[in-house]
Amino acid sequence: MTAEVFSKTRVVWWRFGREHGGEQLQVNPAEVLNAHFEEKIQRVNRRTTDTWRWWQVDENLIVEKPPPDGPLFDEESRIYYLRDRGLSVIENVDMPPPDDCWAWFIHIADFSYADQLDSWLMKDLFLHIVVEDDNRTYHLYDLPDMALALDAGLITSAQSADILRRVDWVVNQITNGEFPFAEILRGREAAEKLGW
């Protein structure tokens, strides 16, 4: 596989239920959603430099080299978007002590393509898993946010069940020593070929 076969793309993170800019989860009207996405696209466009950040490796894998000044990122950070698994995985998370043992930050997410934005939307589905640098020890975060999202009507009980099944799959893979996933290993190879 050569860098030439990868295609440029773009991923916009969707703070689902927080599009209004607040921390309280709520259902927001279409105009708030549209303003949120427009602001995100403008921010992404301002930050895009001569080096493109997002590359589609195959139908279900996108790699990103995030800007090193982000809240979780440094020069070694990479993001792998596993579309078919509904996961966004950040490698080489940059956290201050005592959380500097975390090497990975996993978002449970849904992906959809927004033609009007010419971008993939990564809809953050509340639950997060951090994995320590041993690739075996994990911590699950933000369960109360998912409960609040269910109470607010952002997600249904069926969607909640799907999210929990994804989390269960991830933590079982970690527990069984099958992390990082094969898609992440392919993403690392792609990043290397891209000169990252």
Side-chain angles (χ1 to χ4, degrees), residues 57-79:
V57 177
D58 61 38
E59 181 182 355
N60 289 307
L61 177 63
I62 298 169
V63 295
E64 177 184 358
K65 183 176 182 182
D69 59 345
L72 296 174
F73 312 130
D74 65 19
E75 286 291 340
E76 301 302 314
S77 300
R78 305 291 180 265
I79 305 174

PDB file of all heavy atoms in Angstrom, residues 57-79:
ATOM      1  N   VAL A  57      -7.997   5.394   4.698  1.00  0.00           N
ATOM      2  CA  VAL A  57      -7.143   4.268   4.352  1.00  0.00           C
ATOM      3  C   VAL A  57      -7.949   3.229   3.578  1.00  0.00           C
ATOM      4  O   VAL A  57      -7.489   2.672   2.590  1.00  0.00           O
ATOM      5  CB  VAL A  57      -6.520   3.657   5.630  1.00  0.00           C
ATOM      6  CG1 VAL A  57      -5.685   2.425   5.311  1.00  0.00           C
ATOM      7  CG2 VAL A  57      -5.681   4.707   6.366  1.00  0.00           C
ATOM      8  N   ASP A  58      -9.150   2.966   4.048  1.00  0.00           N
ATOM      9  CA  ASP A  58     -10.079   2.083   3.353  1.00  0.00           C
ATOM     10  C   ASP A  58     -11.490   2.483   3.747  1.00  0.00           C
ATOM     11  O   ASP A  58     -11.683   3.506   4.419  1.00  0.00           O
ATOM     12  CB  ASP A  58      -9.788   0.592   3.626  1.00  0.00           C
ATOM     13  CG  ASP A  58      -9.914   0.199   5.088  1.00  0.00           C
ATOM     14  OD1 ASP A  58     -10.818   0.704   5.801  1.00  0.00           O
ATOM     15  OD2 ASP A  58      -9.115  -0.637   5.540  1.00  0.00           O
ATOM     16  N   GLU A  59     -12.459   1.715   3.340  1.00  0.00           N
ATOM     17  CA  GLU A  59     -13.856   2.078   3.568  1.00  0.00           C
ATOM     18  C   GLU A  59     -14.184   2.332   5.037  1.00  0.00           C
ATOM     19  O   GLU A  59     -14.993   3.195   5.364  1.00  0.00           O
ATOM     20  CB  GLU A  59     -14.762   0.966   3.028  1.00  0.00           C
ATOM     21  CG  GLU A  59     -16.237   1.235   3.192  1.00  0.00           C
ATOM     22  CD  GLU A  59     -17.095   0.086   2.696  1.00  0.00           C
ATOM     23  OE1 GLU A  59     -16.549  -0.886   2.128  1.00  0.00           O
ATOM     24  OE2 GLU A  59     -18.322   0.165   2.886  1.00  0.00           O
ATOM     25  N   ASN A  60     -13.525   1.607   5.938  1.00  0.00           N
ATOM     26  CA  ASN A  60     -13.869   1.687   7.358  1.00  0.00           C
ATOM     27  C   ASN A  60     -12.784   2.263   8.251  1.00  0.00           C
ATOM     28  O   ASN A  60     -12.927   2.260   9.465  1.00  0.00           O
ATOM     29  CB  ASN A  60     -14.261   0.295   7.870  1.00  0.00           C
ATOM     30  CG  ASN A  60     -15.588  -0.139   7.304  1.00  0.00           C
ATOM     31  OD1 ASN A  60     -16.575   0.576   7.404  1.00  0.00           O
ATOM     32  ND2 ASN A  60     -15.607  -1.294   6.667  1.00  0.00           N
ATOM     33  N   LEU A  61     -11.693   2.760   7.665  1.00  0.00           N
ATOM     34  CA  LEU A  61     -10.588   3.273   8.479  1.00  0.00           C
ATOM     35  C   LEU A  61     -10.118   4.627   7.966  1.00  0.00           C
ATOM     36  O   LEU A  61      -9.769   4.767   6.795  1.00  0.00           O
ATOM     37  CB  LEU A  61      -9.425   2.276   8.475  1.00  0.00           C
ATOM     38  CG  LEU A  61      -8.156   2.706   9.218  1.00  0.00           C
ATOM     39  CD1 LEU A  61      -8.421   2.903  10.710  1.00  0.00           C
ATOM     40  CD2 LEU A  61      -7.043   1.681   8.992  1.00  0.00           C
ATOM     41  N   ILE A  62     -10.113   5.594   8.873  1.00  0.00           N
ATOM     42  CA  ILE A  62      -9.579   6.930   8.604  1.00  0.00           C
ATOM     43  C   ILE A  62      -8.510   7.189   9.652  1.00  0.00           C
ATOM     44  O   ILE A  62      -8.675   6.835  10.825  1.00  0.00           O
ATOM     45  CB  ILE A  62     -10.685   8.006   8.696  1.00  0.00           C
ATOM     46  CG1 ILE A  62     -11.764   7.755   7.629  1.00  0.00           C
ATOM     47  CG2 ILE A  62     -10.095   9.414   8.549  1.00  0.00           C
ATOM     48  CD1 ILE A  62     -13.016   8.599   7.811  1.00  0.00           C
ATOM     49  N   VAL A  63      -7.405   7.801   9.237  1.00  0.00           N
ATOM     50  CA  VAL A  63      -6.346   8.175  10.179  1.00  0.00           C
ATOM     51  C   VAL A  63      -6.224   9.695  10.192  1.00  0.00           C
ATOM     52  O   VAL A  63      -6.449  10.356   9.181  1.00  0.00           O
ATOM     53  CB  VAL A  63      -4.989   7.519   9.840  1.00  0.00           C
ATOM     54  CG1 VAL A  63      -5.068   6.003   9.987  1.00  0.00           C
ATOM     55  CG2 VAL A  63      -4.498   7.909   8.455  1.00  0.00           C
ATOM     56  N   GLU A  64      -5.874  10.207  11.360  1.00  0.00           N
ATOM     57  CA  GLU A  64      -5.678  11.658  11.513  1.00  0.00           C
ATOM     58  C   GLU A  64      -4.445  11.913  12.354  1.00  0.00           C
ATOM     59  O   GLU A  64      -4.205  11.240  13.354  1.00  0.00           O
ATOM     60  CB  GLU A  64      -6.883  12.306  12.194  1.00  0.00           C
ATOM     61  CG  GLU A  64      -6.693  13.795  12.439  1.00  0.00           C
ATOM     62  CD  GLU A  64      -7.830  14.455  13.210  1.00  0.00           C
ATOM     63  OE1 GLU A  64      -8.823  13.778  13.543  1.00  0.00           O
ATOM     64  OE2 GLU A  64      -7.707  15.673  13.489  1.00  0.00           O
ATOM     65  N   LYS A  65      -3.683  12.911  11.932  1.00  0.00           N
ATOM     66  CA  LYS A  65      -2.596  13.435  12.764  1.00  0.00           C
ATOM     67  C   LYS A  65      -3.105  14.765  13.320  1.00  0.00           C
ATOM     68  O   LYS A  65      -3.122  15.775  12.621  1.00  0.00           O
ATOM     69  CB  LYS A  65      -1.318  13.638  11.968  1.00  0.00           C
ATOM     70  CG  LYS A  65      -0.183  14.123  12.856  1.00  0.00           C
ATOM     71  CD  LYS A  65       1.113  14.235  12.101  1.00  0.00           C
ATOM     72  CE  LYS A  65       2.201  14.690  13.074  1.00  0.00           C
ATOM     73  NZ  LYS A  65       3.476  14.855  12.409  1.00  0.00           N
ATOM     74  N   PRO A  66      -3.563  14.768  14.590  1.00  0.00           N
ATOM     75  CA  PRO A  66      -4.155  15.991  15.136  1.00  0.00           C
ATOM     76  C   PRO A  66      -3.088  17.043  15.428  1.00  0.00           C
ATOM     77  O   PRO A  66      -1.904  16.717  15.585  1.00  0.00           O
ATOM     78  CB  PRO A  66      -4.806  15.499  16.438  1.00  0.00           C
ATOM     79  CG  PRO A  66      -3.975  14.327  16.850  1.00  0.00           C
ATOM     80  CD  PRO A  66      -3.523  13.675  15.565  1.00  0.00           C
ATOM     81  N   PRO A  67      -3.497  18.300  15.510  1.00  0.00           N
ATOM     82  CA  PRO A  67      -2.533  19.350  15.861  1.00  0.00           C
ATOM     83  C   PRO A  67      -2.014  19.121  17.275  1.00  0.00           C
ATOM     84  O   PRO A  67      -2.781  18.771  18.175  1.00  0.00           O
ATOM     85  CB  PRO A  67      -3.339  20.643  15.760  1.00  0.00           C
ATOM     86  CG  PRO A  67      -4.765  20.228  15.812  1.00  0.00           C
ATOM     87  CD  PRO A  67      -4.846  18.825  15.323  1.00  0.00           C
ATOM     88  N   PRO A  68      -0.722  19.277  17.500  1.00  0.00           N
ATOM     89  CA  PRO A  68      -0.143  18.930  18.802  1.00  0.00           C
ATOM     90  C   PRO A  68      -0.545  19.845  19.948  1.00  0.00           C
ATOM     91  O   PRO A  68      -0.266  19.530  21.103  1.00  0.00           O
ATOM     92  CB  PRO A  68       1.368  19.013  18.549  1.00  0.00           C
ATOM     93  CG  PRO A  68       1.507  19.926  17.383  1.00  0.00           C
ATOM     94  CD  PRO A  68       0.287  19.719  16.543  1.00  0.00           C
ATOM     95  N   ASP A  69      -1.232  20.936  19.652  1.00  0.00           N
ATOM     96  CA  ASP A  69      -1.608  21.854  20.729  1.00  0.00           C
ATOM     97  C   ASP A  69      -3.015  21.584  21.271  1.00  0.00           C
ATOM     98  O   ASP A  69      -3.530  22.353  22.073  1.00  0.00           O
ATOM     99  CB  ASP A  69      -1.500  23.302  20.258  1.00  0.00           C
ATOM    100  CG  ASP A  69      -2.383  23.599  19.051  1.00  0.00           C
ATOM    101  OD1 ASP A  69      -2.866  22.642  18.406  1.00  0.00           O
ATOM    102  OD2 ASP A  69      -2.583  24.780  18.748  1.00  0.00           O
ATOM    103  N   GLY A  70      -3.622  20.478  20.854  1.00  0.00           N
ATOM    104  CA  GLY A  70      -4.947  20.136  21.368  1.00  0.00           C
ATOM    105  C   GLY A  70      -4.869  19.657  22.809  1.00  0.00           C
ATOM    106  O   GLY A  70      -3.784  19.367  23.325  1.00  0.00           O
ATOM    107  N   PRO A  71      -6.020  19.541  23.480  1.00  0.00           N
ATOM    108  CA  PRO A  71      -6.011  19.211  24.908  1.00  0.00           C
ATOM    109  C   PRO A  71      -5.512  17.808  25.238  1.00  0.00           C
ATOM    110  O   PRO A  71      -5.086  17.561  26.349  1.00  0.00           O
ATOM    111  CB  PRO A  71      -7.479  19.372  25.318  1.00  0.00           C
ATOM    112  CG  PRO A  71      -8.250  19.259  24.043  1.00  0.00           C
ATOM    113  CD  PRO A  71      -7.352  19.767  22.959  1.00  0.00           C
ATOM    114  N   LEU A  72      -5.525  16.887  24.286  1.00  0.00           N
ATOM    115  CA  LEU A  72      -5.064  15.521  24.552  1.00  0.00           C
ATOM    116  C   LEU A  72      -3.869  15.127  23.688  1.00  0.00           C
ATOM    117  O   LEU A  72      -3.427  13.990  23.744  1.00  0.00           O
ATOM    118  CB  LEU A  72      -6.200  14.515  24.272  1.00  0.00           C
ATOM    119  CG  LEU A  72      -7.453  14.589  25.121  1.00  0.00           C
ATOM    120  CD1 LEU A  72      -8.509  13.619  24.598  1.00  0.00           C
ATOM    121  CD2 LEU A  72      -7.135  14.272  26.573  1.00  0.00           C
ATOM    122  N   PHE A  73      -3.353  16.057  22.887  1.00  0.00           N
ATOM    123  CA  PHE A  73      -2.445  15.676  21.823  1.00  0.00           C
ATOM    124  C   PHE A  73      -1.040  16.236  22.003  1.00  0.00           C
ATOM    125  O   PHE A  73      -0.847  17.313  22.556  1.00  0.00           O
ATOM    126  CB  PHE A  73      -2.979  16.161  20.470  1.00  0.00           C
ATOM    127  CG  PHE A  73      -4.428  15.837  20.236  1.00  0.00           C
ATOM    128  CD1 PHE A  73      -5.315  16.824  19.818  1.00  0.00           C
ATOM    129  CD2 PHE A  73      -4.910  14.562  20.429  1.00  0.00           C
ATOM    130  CE1 PHE A  73      -6.642  16.528  19.590  1.00  0.00           C
ATOM    131  CE2 PHE A  73      -6.240  14.245  20.210  1.00  0.00           C
ATOM    132  CZ  PHE A  73      -7.106  15.240  19.792  1.00  0.00           C
ATOM    133  N   ASP A  74      -0.071  15.478  21.461  1.00  0.00           N
ATOM    134  CA  ASP A  74       1.281  15.982  21.264  1.00  0.00           C
ATOM    135  C   ASP A  74       1.735  15.527  19.879  1.00  0.00           C
ATOM    136  O   ASP A  74       0.924  15.028  19.100  1.00  0.00           O
ATOM    137  CB  ASP A  74       2.226  15.538  22.382  1.00  0.00           C
ATOM    138  CG  ASP A  74       2.458  14.033  22.432  1.00  0.00           C
ATOM    139  OD1 ASP A  74       2.202  13.335  21.429  1.00  0.00           O
ATOM    140  OD2 ASP A  74       2.903  13.542  23.479  1.00  0.00           O
ATOM    141  N   GLU A  75       3.007  15.685  19.566  1.00  0.00           N
ATOM    142  CA  GLU A  75       3.504  15.348  18.222  1.00  0.00           C
ATOM    143  C   GLU A  75       3.321  13.878  17.871  1.00  0.00           C
ATOM    144  O   GLU A  75       3.238  13.520  16.706  1.00  0.00           O
ATOM    145  CB  GLU A  75       4.986  15.715  18.104  1.00  0.00           C
ATOM    146  CG  GLU A  75       5.255  17.195  17.998  1.00  0.00           C
ATOM    147  CD  GLU A  75       4.785  17.800  16.682  1.00  0.00           C
ATOM    148  OE1 GLU A  75       4.594  17.058  15.692  1.00  0.00           O
ATOM    149  OE2 GLU A  75       4.610  19.020  16.634  1.00  0.00           O
ATOM    150  N   GLU A  76       3.264  13.003  18.872  1.00  0.00           N
ATOM    151  CA  GLU A  76       3.160  11.566  18.629  1.00  0.00           C
ATOM    152  C   GLU A  76       1.721  11.058  18.588  1.00  0.00           C
ATOM    153  O   GLU A  76       1.485   9.874  18.353  1.00  0.00           O
ATOM    154  CB  GLU A  76       3.946  10.802  19.701  1.00  0.00           C
ATOM    155  CG  GLU A  76       5.413  11.156  19.757  1.00  0.00           C
ATOM    156  CD  GLU A  76       6.121  10.911  18.428  1.00  0.00           C
ATOM    157  OE1 GLU A  76       5.907   9.832  17.834  1.00  0.00           O
ATOM    158  OE2 GLU A  76       6.854  11.810  17.971  1.00  0.00           O
ATOM    159  N   SER A  77       0.750  11.913  18.832  1.00  0.00           N
ATOM    160  CA  SER A  77      -0.652  11.484  18.875  1.00  0.00           C
ATOM    161  C   SER A  77      -1.177  11.163  17.480  1.00  0.00           C
ATOM    162  O   SER A  77      -0.831  11.835  16.500  1.00  0.00           O
ATOM    163  CB  SER A  77      -1.526  12.568  19.501  1.00  0.00           C
ATOM    164  OG  SER A  77      -1.103  12.848  20.817  1.00  0.00           O
ATOM    165  N   ARG A  78      -2.020  10.131  17.414  1.00  0.00           N
ATOM    166  CA  ARG A  78      -2.698   9.730  16.179  1.00  0.00           C
ATOM    167  C   ARG A  78      -4.138   9.379  16.542  1.00  0.00           C
ATOM    168  O   ARG A  78      -4.404   8.870  17.633  1.00  0.00           O
ATOM    169  CB  ARG A  78      -2.050   8.496  15.535  1.00  0.00           C
ATOM    170  CG  ARG A  78      -0.564   8.622  15.261  1.00  0.00           C
ATOM    171  CD  ARG A  78      -0.249   9.630  14.156  1.00  0.00           C
ATOM    172  NE  ARG A  78       1.184   9.727  13.917  1.00  0.00           N
ATOM    173  CZ  ARG A  78       1.973  10.646  14.476  1.00  0.00           C
ATOM    174  NH1 ARG A  78       1.480  11.528  15.313  1.00  0.00           N
ATOM    175  NH2 ARG A  78       3.252  10.688  14.194  1.00  0.00           N
ATOM    176  N   ILE A  79      -5.048   9.615  15.608  1.00  0.00           N
ATOM    177  CA  ILE A  79      -6.441   9.220  15.814  1.00  0.00           C
ATOM    178  C   ILE A  79      -6.813   8.232  14.719  1.00  0.00           C
ATOM    179  O   ILE A  79      -6.547   8.473  13.537  1.00  0.00           O
ATOM    180  CB  ILE A  79      -7.400  10.426  15.790  1.00  0.00           C
ATOM    181  CG1 ILE A  79      -6.976  11.484  16.815  1.00  0.00           C
ATOM    182  CG2 ILE A  79      -8.835   9.970  16.075  1.00  0.00           C
ATOM    183  CD1 ILE A  79      -7.777  12.766  16.770  1.00  0.00           C
TER     184      ILE A  79
END
